[in-house]
């Protein structure tokens, strides 16, 4: 199973990809997660990426392409992957097609999560993430456990720096200008599988499962 998760910030791509990855035994590869880990560790890539990520701007193309190229060649990605956050514009889409050819890998589909802007703001405003285990929560829809109840150890729940009001507004604008043309491109190629992402997490789970039924992995 090789699937791209595409859609606006806060549409629920990461929530759904993480769950499907466990269910199907393929890695969830999130460029945002890779960048945030690099930033937390203050690696040279992380130091370069930090300013872009905090504001909600795109990290330079060469950095992201190198991260994805390296990650897709790791042993656990040879049987399939769920790619969340890349490609994100037409330039990345073209490079991605060339990379897949080079690696002799075929994309099954692009799952497209569509939600209106006001829902994006609601979801991102309430999002909390655990610094320890990386799990994602929402104050209203999927509340974090009390530290003592966390099955994976002591949860340390924070708000992402790019979930500030200014950064959310910027990310929505960047999405409209940069990513929407890629959505249109995949739609024109008939490579897009739309998922109704406006309903509850459980209902979107079911819609994702229906969309990928029949795909191996
Ligand atoms: P990235 O991490 O990819 O951010 P994003 O695309 O903005 O997506 P998010 O992670 O914010 O949202 P999501 O759709 O995964 O939603 P989630 O499941 O968390 O990228 C971050 C930054 O890295 C970029 O801005 C850029 O700087 C850089 N970057 C990354 N890739 C790049 C690239 N290719 N090129 C250049 N730069 C790049 O859900 C959101 C919230 O809603 C959660 O709280 C969740 O619990 C809740 N929720 C989820 N589903 C539902 C539901 N159905 N109902 C109610 N609540 C829900």
């Amino acid at each position: 199973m090789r699937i791209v998760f595409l859609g606006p910030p806060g549409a629920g791509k990461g929530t759904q990809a993480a769950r499907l990855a466990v269910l199907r035994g393929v890695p969830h590869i999130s460029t945002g997660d890779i960048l945030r880990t690099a930033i937390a560790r203050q690696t040279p890539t992380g130091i370069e990426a930090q300013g872009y990520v905090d504001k909600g701007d795109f990290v330079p193309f060469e950095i992201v392409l190198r991260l994805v190229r390296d990650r897709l060649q790791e042993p656990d990605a040879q049987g399939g992957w769920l790619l969340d956050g890349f490609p994100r514009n037409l330039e990345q889409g073209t490079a991605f097609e060339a990379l897949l050819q080079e690696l002799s890998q075929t994309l099954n589909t692009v799952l497209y999560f569509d939600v209106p802007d006001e829902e994006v703001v609601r979801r991102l405003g309430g999002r909390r993430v655990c610094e320890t285990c990386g799990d994602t929560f929402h104050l209203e829809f999927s509340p974090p456990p009390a530290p003592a109840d966390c099955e994976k150890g002591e949860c340390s729940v924070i708000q992402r720096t790019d979930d500030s009001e200014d950064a959310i507004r910027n990310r929505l604008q960047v999405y409209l200008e940069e990513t929407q043309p890629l959505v249109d491109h995949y739609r024109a190629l008939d490579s897009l599988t739309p998922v109704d992402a406006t309903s509850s997490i459980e209902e979107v789970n079911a819609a994702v499962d229906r969309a990928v039924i029949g795909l191996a992995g």
Side-chain angles (χ1 to χ4, degrees), residues 33-105:
D33 285 349
I34 295 172
L35 288 165
R36 281 184 289 276
T37 301
I39 291 168
R41 293 185 182 152
Q42 288 289 285
T43 65
T45 297
I47 291 167
E48 196 173 345
Q50 183 154 21
Y52 298 98
V53 172
D54 284 351
K55 276 194 281 179
D57 287 332
F58 278 9
V59 169
F61 171 68
E62 297 72 23
I63 295 182
V64 178
L65 183 60
R66 176 168 41 81
L67 293 176
V68 173
R69 173 190 291 278
D70 290 350
R71 185 64 185 88
L72 291 189
Q73 293 184 81
E74 284 181 25
D76 71 330
Q78 299 320 299
W81 35 254
L82 307 178
L83 192 49
D84 164 16
F86 183 93
R88 243 172 151 94
N89 63 9
L90 288 170
E91 183 187 34
Q92 294 184 8
T94 304
F96 181 52
E97 278 156 32
L99 179 61
L100 289 185
Q101 271 203 352
E102 182 191 322
L103 301 178
S104 302
Q105 297 188 1

Side-chain angles (χ1 to χ4, degrees), residues 111-177:
L111 281 191
Y112 172 52
F113 291 65
D114 198 12
V115 292
D117 285 5
E118 59 273 17
E119 182 63 15
V120 163
V121 171
R122 204 156 74 110
R123 289 187 186 179
L124 293 183
R127 175 164 59 187
R128 297 294 182 271
V129 291
C130 174
E131 275 187 307
T132 317
C133 64
D135 283 356
T136 297
F137 305 99
H138 189 282
L139 292 177
E140 188 182 342
F141 308 121
S142 167
D149 296 339
C150 179
E151 289 166 6
K152 298 180 181 172
E154 290 271 300
C155 259
S156 165
V157 174
I158 57 152
Q159 187 165 27
R160 268 171 49 173
T161 49
D162 60 346
D163 282 345
S164 68
E165 219 178 298
D166 282 354
I168 292 172
R169 203 174 307 115
N170 187 41
R171 287 159 71 196
L172 281 168
Q173 188 62 29
V174 170
Y175 178 79
L176 192 67
E177 289 169 8

